[in-house]
Amino acid sequence: SIYFRLLKCRDVKSVREGKKKLYNHYFKSFFFTKLFEDGSYKYSGVKRWGKKVANGDVFSLERILIPVNVNNMHWCLLEVSIPEKRIQYYDSLGGSGEQYLKGMLMYLNDEWKKLSKAGDFVPEDWRLVSTTKETPRQKNGYDCGVFTCTCADYISLGLELTYTQKDI
């Protein structure tokens, strides 16, 4: 979470300096723990989290980045690109992240309703992208956290994911 706070500080500075127009937001690592409390989707566990983003509106952001702790054993990253209407999962071991992709789509739908946005939220307009072959892969069983942080860094800067295990 500390690393993601540093990314947020860099992002805020870039917006203030006019280097970029929209903010990124970085939810804490226990977002999905609260969203899936007791094993099922529970918007009530995170419904106040949206108030902490710029303008209190997740739909005014460029993207949301969330570290995902899978079974207290592995770290991955989930990205929500608001302008592209894309939710993407990045797992350095190649997992699909289907539960997190679908859960995030449900969260966005609930946020839309909570904010009383004009029109309907259309889930079919959003692309859910599981880990792709372009997602860098770790070659051991212990670098997932470093891969997750590096992935968030690259994505927050709008860079392609060109790092490898040798860079970690």
Side-chain angles (χ1 to χ4, degrees):
S1 287
I2 291 172
Y3 187 78
F4 281 71
R5 276 193 257 164
L6 293 172
L7 294 179
K8 182 177 182 174
C9 288
R10 181 182 66 191
D11 187 65
V12 167
K13 183 179 179 193
S14 293
V15 171
R16 286 185 181 152
E17 292 174 351
K19 294 178 182 174
K20 55 185 284 192
K21 293 180 181 181
L22 298 173
Y23 289 97
N24 293 330
H25 188 76
Y26 306 85
F27 281 138
K28 293 187 174 162
S29 60
F30 52 92
F31 175 85
F32 283 111
T33 303
K34 294 290 189 183
L35 189 69
F36 292 121
E37 204 160 27
D38 300 326
S40 61
Y41 176 84
K42 288 198 170 102
Y43 177 66
S44 61
V46 294
K47 75 178 181 181
R48 293 191 295 173
W49 288 46
K51 292 179 182 181
K52 296 180 182 180
V53 306
N55 304 321
D57 181 356
V58 297
F59 298 99
S60 70
L61 301 168
E62 181 174 1
R63 70 177 49 88
I64 301 168
L65 293 168
I66 310 167
V68 180
N69 186 328
V70 181
N71 299 322
N72 289 321
M73 295 182 64
H74 181 56
W75 288 99
C76 303
L77 183 74
L78 186 125
E79 173 199 15
V80 179
S81 173
I82 301 297
E84 295 178 29
K85 292 187 175 180
R86 176 179 47 80
I87 305 169
Q88 188 159 350
Y89 189 74
Y90 300 88
D91 183 344
S92 58
L93 291 178
S96 72
E98 184 178 355
Q99 172 190 8
Y100 304 104
L101 293 165
K102 290 178 178 178
M104 193 63 190
L105 185 63
M106 292 166 56
Y107 168 79
L108 292 172
N109 185 31
D110 286 335
E111 279 291 297
W112 187 273
K113 291 175 190 172
K114 181 183 86 175
L115 295 168
S116 301
K117 293 288 208 177
D120 291 328
F121 182 86
V122 182
E124 294 78 22
D125 288 349
W126 287 78
R127 224 167 25 108
L128 304 183
V129 183
S130 292
T131 302
T132 67
K133 64 180 180 176
E134 289 79 24
T135 300
R137 297 294 198 272
Q138 67 186 80
K139 305 231 186 271
N140 58 43
Y142 49 83
D143 280 337
C144 57
V146 181
F147 269 82
T148 297
C149 289
T150 304
C151 187
D153 184 29
Y154 274 61
I155 291 171
S156 71
L157 293 170
L159 301 174
E160 288 190 35
L161 303 180
T162 56
Y163 61 93
T164 68
Q165 180 72 55
K166 292 178 184 176
D167 302 311
I168 300 301

